[in-house]
Amino acid sequence: MRVLITGCHGQVGYCLTEQLAKNENTRVLALDKEHLDITNQEAVEATVAEFKPTIIINAAAHTAVDKAEEEVELSYAINRDGPQYLAQAAQSIGAAILHISTDYVFEGNKEGEYAESDTTNPQGVYGGSKLAGEIAVAKACDKHIILRTAWVFGEQGNNFVKTMLRLAKTHDSLGIVGDQFGGPTYAGDIAAALVVITKTICNGESDKFGIYHFSGLPHVSWSQFAQVIFDEAVEQAVIQQSPTVNAITTEEYPTPAKRPANSKLDTRLITEKFAIQASDWKLALGNIEAYT
């Protein structure tokens, strides 16, 4: 099995590279933007032609949601064009592509959980560019998996958990949005899910291509998530005292890009097809010091 990973220094890419490196009979080529600019079609084609991967896993993305509102061309170059070039290159050698997408492809106003078949309606540049990437990948490569996830956190990179732990050291109270709901998702669990999918595809199970949702349970608001983070940090003696968490509304915390009020993803299909369970994000906070 030969796996090409793009975006290997990101939250998911880092975990994925670590996990796949432990697999016997697996050759991994893990590249970040310094080594492969996925928006450069010639570079993508040359890399794929030389390495000849069995599977390409695209963990590269422009994820700065607010900056995307101004960096429109860059967002579409990284989130649409790059995935398209990777998918076309995969198709040309008979490889499969696994592409990570987002809850932001949905409007976020549904009651209940979003299924893979629900209508997409992104509300900003980030979501729009990611949806365009999904469409481009699906059109360009027959053997594709699109994995939508949400609220990603891990030991690498910047994320909500790290921000909360940093703020906890200097604030007695914090106003955290309490009317947006979703499933926090541990980057290591996303990587583990991708490894399972990779092995399944390499075993020749070709009836499982398509779109899947993978995120964490239980669903919570940002303010509820913050409270759990602080409680764990106090219990593990990472901080002495939890700041008071005040749940505020989205209107009280305006941002350039609109956030989905509902980011709850239905993960039953990936469990049914691959026996992959939803991310246990509370378990992932078991060593909170790793995020400091």
Side-chain angles (χ1 to χ4, degrees):
M1 185 166 69
R2 300 167 69 85
V3 184
L4 169 61
I5 301 170
T6 58
C8 69
H9 290 163
Q11 293 191 90
V12 176
Y14 181 86
C15 296
L16 185 59
T17 302
E18 271 199 332
Q19 292 183 26
L20 278 174
K22 298 173 184 175
N23 278 17
E24 292 183 6
N25 304 318
T26 301
R27 185 176 173 191
V28 178
L29 177 60
L31 302 174
D32 204 17
K33 59 185 177 183
E34 287 81 11
H35 302 100
L36 177 61
D37 177 2
I38 65 169
T39 69
N40 183 329
Q41 187 171 12
E42 289 184 359
V44 169
E45 290 173 351
T47 299
V48 171
E50 181 180 353
F51 183 63
K52 295 180 177 61
T54 316
I55 291 181
I56 297 171
I57 305 180
N58 180 36
H62 186 272
T63 58
V65 176
D66 289 325
K67 282 186 178 180
E69 294 300 310
E70 297 178 359
E71 300 174 343
V72 180
E73 288 187 14
L74 180 63
S75 296
Y76 275 87
I78 297 173
N79 293 341
R80 177 195 61 196
D81 300 343
Q84 178 179 327
Y85 300 151
L86 289 166
Q88 288 171 339
Q91 180 76 5
S92 71
I93 63 167
I97 183 167
L98 276 57
H99 174 66
I100 301 171
S101 193
T102 175
D103 56 297
Y104 275 73
V105 300
F106 295 113
E107 186 171 352
N109 62 353
K110 177 185 177 179
E111 289 188 17
E113 300 174 350
Y114 276 99
E116 288 83 352
S117 56
D118 281 332
T119 302
T120 52
N121 186 23
Q123 297 296 292
V125 172
Y126 171 65
S129 64
K130 291 295 289 183
L131 178 59
E134 288 188 10
I135 295 167
V137 166
K139 284 183 177 179
C141 186
D142 297 331
K143 296 192 287 188
H144 66 268
I145 296 278
I146 293 163
L147 190 72
R148 293 178 182 147
T149 190
W151 294 24
V152 181
F153 71 94
E155 295 87 352
Q156 295 296 120
N158 298 314
N159 54 65
F160 185 78
V161 175
K162 289 189 173 186
T163 299
M164 290 301 103
L165 292 173
R166 186 177 69 251
L167 292 175
K169 294 176 181 178
T170 55
H171 291 71
D172 294 327
S173 65
L174 290 165
I176 310 293
V177 172
D179 58 359
Q180 296 171 18
F181 294 85
T185 314
Y186 177 53
D189 290 340
I190 300 172
L194 290 167
V195 170
V196 170
I197 294 169
T198 298
K199 289 179 178 177
T200 303
I201 291 171
C202 287
N203 287 337
E205 297 188 41
S206 59
D207 63 331
K208 296 184 178 181
F209 294 112
I211 298 174
Y212 293 92
H213 289 172
F214 178 78
S215 64
L217 288 175
H219 293 131
V220 287
S221 68
W222 287 112
S223 59
Q224 289 169 334
F225 186 23
Q227 189 62 67
V228 174
I229 294 166
F230 297 145
D231 290 345
E232 286 292 332
V234 170
E235 187 174 329
Q236 296 175 42
V238 172
I239 59 175
Q240 289 185 334
Q241 185 175 335
S242 171
T244 301
V245 176
N246 300 309
I248 62 173
T249 65
T250 298
E251 288 71 22
E252 291 176 284
Y253 189 75
T255 55
K258 183 180 179 183
R259 267 69 173 168
N262 176 14
S263 290
K264 298 175 185 176
L265 300 178
D266 183 342
T267 60
R268 287 178 293 180
L269 184 61
I270 199 169
T271 302
E272 176 190 326
K273 291 283 189 176
F274 294 97
I276 293 170
Q277 301 297 322
S279 175
D280 185 343
W281 58 267
K282 288 186 178 180
L283 182 64
L285 296 175
N287 179 18
I288 205 101
E289 194 170 5
Y291 301 95
T292 58

